[in-house]
Amino acid sequence: MTTSRKRFTAPQRLLHWLMAICILSMLFIGVGMVSTVTSKYLTLVQIHKPLGIAILVLALIRLSLRFVFHAPVLPADMPRPMRLAAELSQYVLYALMIGMPLIGWGMLSAASYPVVLFGSVHLPSILPVSPSLHTLLWHAHYYLAFAFFATILMHVAAILFHKLIRNDGVFEAMAPVLTHDESEI
Amino acid sequence: MPQSPLSPGNLPLTRLSVIAAVVGVVVISFAYTAGWLTPKRLTPKKLVASLAPPGGPALGHRRNHAKGICFTGTFEANGNGSELSRAQVFVAGQYPVVGRFNLATPNPNAADAMVRVRGIGIRITPPNGQEWRSAMIDAPIFPVSTVQDFYDLQMASSSKEPDAMKNFIAAHPEFTTFLGWAKSAPWTGSYAEERYNSLNSFVFIDNSGAKHTVRWSLVPAAQPVSILPDELAKRGPDFLDQEITQRVASSPQRWSVVVTLSNPGDPTADPNKAWPVDRRTVDVGTLTVQQIEPEADGPCRDINYDPTVLPAGITTSDDPFPSARSAAYSRSYNSRTAEEKYYPRNATGGKQ
Ligand code: HEM
Ligand code: HEM
């Protein structure tokens, strides 16, 4: 699943940065909404659901692009544990980008709530009404949200490490624009 | 490409601290957003906890309006509501309803005669799936004007401080209007004889896009018969449940669904203030209760009568309560559905 290209393709980079903004916003919106009783609560919930589903759609597109264009090879001199961590975190991030929205959607279905995206656009229920399923998914959504946040923090720390300490081109592979002269192959 | 070899000896500390700073700023903003740095913020958790009786909440049950009984029936729209809202529930036709009669107490075993406020939750499901849920009470006004006041009221009434309630009332004269109702309004012997009011205002959007700020009520077809509280206290602890079960078994019970339109300047954001009685009303249809079922294994048990579950054509207004209620009901729902084992799913719910 790698390519000799040094950088991700433009559509892959675009999706990466778009989704980075969306997901980070989602995490903030999520913890923000469950901690307030003001009218912000409803506003945030009304953003949380459609934005979460948008992330699901974008993640599926992104996964397909990954199968078509693959990812650039990691630098040859990267130590094995670091390489392993890099690869593993990519699996975890994909699983969460696809899993979190499905869990959210399933959680609402199991609680017999309509899944309203906006106005009259509703999603169908994907699970039967069940308190035990709801509880399972509610706990999963909660704990995975924090796992997601932690993974993103590590991802950010790692990429800054690549850029600021190793300066090995891993950051440039996904950088939206190149800051210094480098040929795009 | 320039490479700097990775040996601990020459790790540039300033660069590492840049990384730590970026991560730190994100973590702190996250903690702030989640309310962890602002313990004074009124969270759904605090609001729901404030409702609990001294011994803690009744596990597996609703955190308020904990005592109740399920019903099924229909809402028959007469078409008049379509003038005000484009929601499908107002198009003439008959739509299924799952509802719940209930008492405003966090104690599921409270004696019926001891609870002043009675309520109803309804969920109407038209064919397009755009549900209209509503939870209403028989009081004509809400005890307080703001969500913070509601929290303060719970804190005062559960406080060990002898003057807590006196001080609350002194600081919240609007509460006395509610007390006046609670002291003087007649009691009835039946859920079927109550009028239930939304109290909160909502916005109806009609086909032209025009908005109308409204409240609604269920007006009973049954004639209310006033009974002294002492008389009610002599009936069994569950007389309301028994009465409504027998009554509905012998004939379906009906309510008119009446929508009241506000005039400009009416207090739409304050459920403690009634609107003048001359406001225009529109009768939009009839709620018919056809069958009663116990809550423990009944169809209303796992429903959250969240007042913000609204069809396209109805939205929330400037009233701050529905948002707070939605946040609190969700919290209560999450807790009670996770505590299923304390409230078994059989006809008696484990009661002996
Ligand atoms: C990438 C996608 C998503 C992320 C990162 C995310 C993140 C979060 C976070 C951080 C919370 C707060 C957890 C807590 O502190 O209790 C939350 C709560 C919630 N999310 Fe999501 N979410 C996502 C997708 C969705 C979707 C698609 C839906 C529904 C369609 C959804 C529905 C909910 C609901 C209903 C809650 C409130 C849970 C509660 O009642 O406590 N989420 N989410
Ligand atoms: C900030 C103010 C309020 C708070 C914190 C609050 C809290 C709650 C909670 C926690 C529940 C249980 C929800 C569940 O587990 O499904 C509940 C139920 C209920 N509330 Fe409220 N409530 C508030 C205002 C109101 C108002 C203004 C009304 C009426 C106009 C109302 C009427 C009801 C009714 C009828 C139920 C029972 C619904 C059912 O049968 O499930 N509440 N409330």
Side-chain angles (χ1 to χ4, degrees):
Chain A
M1 281 252 301
T2 53
T3 160
S4 57
R5 238 180 269 125
K6 280 207 188 112
R7 306 187 65 203
F8 284 92
T9 60
Q12 283 175 299
R13 279 178 281 140
L14 178 72
L15 269 180
H16 170 274
W17 288 103
L18 183 64
M19 293 187 69
I21 296 168
C22 292
I23 292 169
L24 207 57
S25 312
M26 275 301 277
L27 290 163
F28 277 81
I29 290 169
V31 294
M33 71 190 189
V34 299
S35 73
T36 180
V37 298
T38 64
S39 63
K40 277 183 243 158
Y41 172 78
L42 281 185
T43 311
L44 293 175
V45 170
Q46 278 157 14
I47 300 172
H48 194 84
K49 295 177 205 174
L51 188 55
I53 297 299
I55 289 173
L56 174 63
V57 173
L58 293 177
L60 293 174
I61 297 174
R62 187 164 164 196
L63 193 63
S64 335
L65 291 182
R66 180 74 182 248
F67 283 122
V68 176
F69 296 118
H70 306 298
V73 270
L74 290 168
D77 68 338
M78 229 168 108
R80 255 188 77 82
M82 200 188 257
R83 181 180 296 273
L84 202 71
E87 273 159 11
L88 199 70
S89 71
Q90 292 183 17
Y91 282 108
V92 170
L93 286 167
Y94 269 104
L96 288 169
M97 286 189 293
I98 294 167
M100 278 298 282
L102 286 175
I103 291 169
W105 184 357
M107 170 169 83
L108 292 177
S109 305
S112 186
Y113 294 115
V115 188
V116 182
L117 290 191
F118 34 81
S120 51
V121 183
H122 286 218
L123 290 180
S125 164
I126 51 171
L127 285 176
V129 177
S130 153
S132 45
L133 265 179
H134 172 264
T135 303
L136 182 77
L137 296 173
W138 170 52
H139 287 150
H141 200 75
Y142 177 85
Y143 289 109
L144 289 177
F146 289 96
F148 207 168
F149 187 60
T151 314
I152 289 172
L153 287 180
M154 285 191 286
H155 182 72
V156 169
I159 205 64
L160 288 175
F161 188 79
H162 281 290
K163 173 71 186 163
L164 296 177
I165 312 279
R166 280 177 57 88
N167 198 10
D168 57 6
V170 172
F171 177 81
E172 282 68 23
M174 199 50 110
V177 285
L178 291 177
T179 45
H180 53 88
D181 229 13
E182 202 146 346
S183 62
E184 195 163 334
I185 310 165
Chain B
M1 202 181 297
Q3 300 263 337
S4 56
L6 191 66
S7 73
N10 64 1
L11 274 189
L13 265 181
T14 43
R15 291 184 169 200
L16 276 183
S17 47
V18 168
I19 300 178
V22 169
V23 171
V25 166
V26 180
V27 169
I28 290 169
S29 341
F30 193 71
Y32 174 78
T33 310
W36 300 331
L37 308 178
T38 44
K40 281 224 167 82
R41 188 187 300 178
L42 183 51
T43 61
K45 186 178 176 178
K46 275 165 77 175
L47 187 55
V48 171
S50 77
L51 295 162
L59 300 180
H61 292 268
R62 284 165 167 83
R63 294 311 196 241
N64 199 7
H65 296 256
K67 187 170 186 183
I69 192 161
C70 299
F71 66 79
T72 50
T74 59
F75 170 60
E76 187 159 355
N78 56 23
N80 294 343
S82 297
E83 172 211 338
L84 301 173
S85 164
R86 55 188 162 80
Q88 196 186 33
V89 276
F90 297 119
V91 177
Q94 214 181 59
Y95 312 117
V97 174
V98 177
R100 181 173 176 269
F101 293 110
N102 54 68
L103 295 177
T105 167
N107 175 7
N109 302 314
D112 292 349
M114 300 309 292
V115 186
R116 175 74 264 212
V117 174
R118 299 171 182 170
I120 193 172
I122 54 170
R123 179 183 81 176
I124 309 175
T125 313
N128 69 3
Q130 296 208 15
E131 295 178 11
W132 181 18
R133 298 190 191 180
S134 181
M136 298 164 258
I137 56 176
D138 62 352
I141 47 159
F142 201 61
V144 290
S145 295
T146 68
V147 176
Q148 182 68 46
D149 290 349
F150 184 75
Y151 176 73
D152 294 343
L153 171 62
Q154 306 308 317
M155 297 315 279
S157 63
S158 63
S159 169
K160 292 197 179 69
E161 202 60 44
D163 287 339
M165 272 315 280
K166 224 179 76 194
N167 294 340
F168 178 84
I169 294 170
H172 301 276
E174 70 280 5
F175 183 55
T176 51
T177 348
F178 175 81
L179 283 182
W181 170 83
K183 284 198 191 105
S184 65
W187 294 66
T188 75
S190 176
Y191 279 128
E193 295 170 15
E194 299 292 344
R195 172 191 168 115
Y196 300 99
N197 308 300
S198 75
L199 301 186
N200 293 131
S201 73
F202 294 83
V203 175
F204 276 20
I205 303 157
D206 67 25
N207 281 314
S208 73
K211 295 177 173 177
H212 313 272
T213 305
V214 305
R215 289 172 177 167
W216 55 75
S217 298
L218 301 181
V219 180
Q223 193 60 41
V225 180
S226 129
I227 300 180
L228 291 175
D230 294 345
E231 202 51 48
L232 293 178
K234 287 183 207 147
R235 303 185 180 179
D238 303 320
F239 77 85
L240 282 174
D241 288 357
Q242 284 150 9
E243 195 274 348
I244 196 71
T245 308
Q246 282 155 16
R247 189 169 186 144
V248 171
S250 58
S251 74
Q253 298 297 308
R254 296 193 165 77
W255 284 258
S256 299
V257 181
V258 177
V259 173
T260 304
L261 284 93
S262 65
N263 277 6
D266 282 346
T268 54
D270 183 353
N272 178 257
K273 305 285 176 296
W275 293 345
V277 286
D278 65 352
R279 292 296 176 258
R280 190 183 154 213
T281 60
V282 179
D283 180 333
V284 299
T286 307
L287 171 74
T288 306
V289 172
Q290 287 159 334
Q291 199 185 340
I292 300 288
E293 292 174 56
E295 180 190 73
D297 57 352
C300 68
R301 175 168 169 158
D302 298 331
I303 296 177
N304 173 349
Y305 290 97
D306 176 339
T308 67
V309 174
L310 300 166
I314 309 182
T315 65
T316 49
S317 67
D318 58 353
D319 190 326
F321 277 89
S323 185
R325 292 174 66 187
S326 182
Y329 291 23
S330 163
R331 169 106 202 152
S332 167
Y333 185 89
N334 292 342
S335 305
R336 65 184 169 92
T337 48
E339 297 157 353
E340 225 186 336
K341 66 171 191 275
Y342 299 100
Y343 182 24
R345 229 159 254 282
N346 52 45
T348 61
K351 258 193 256 175
Q352 295 308 311

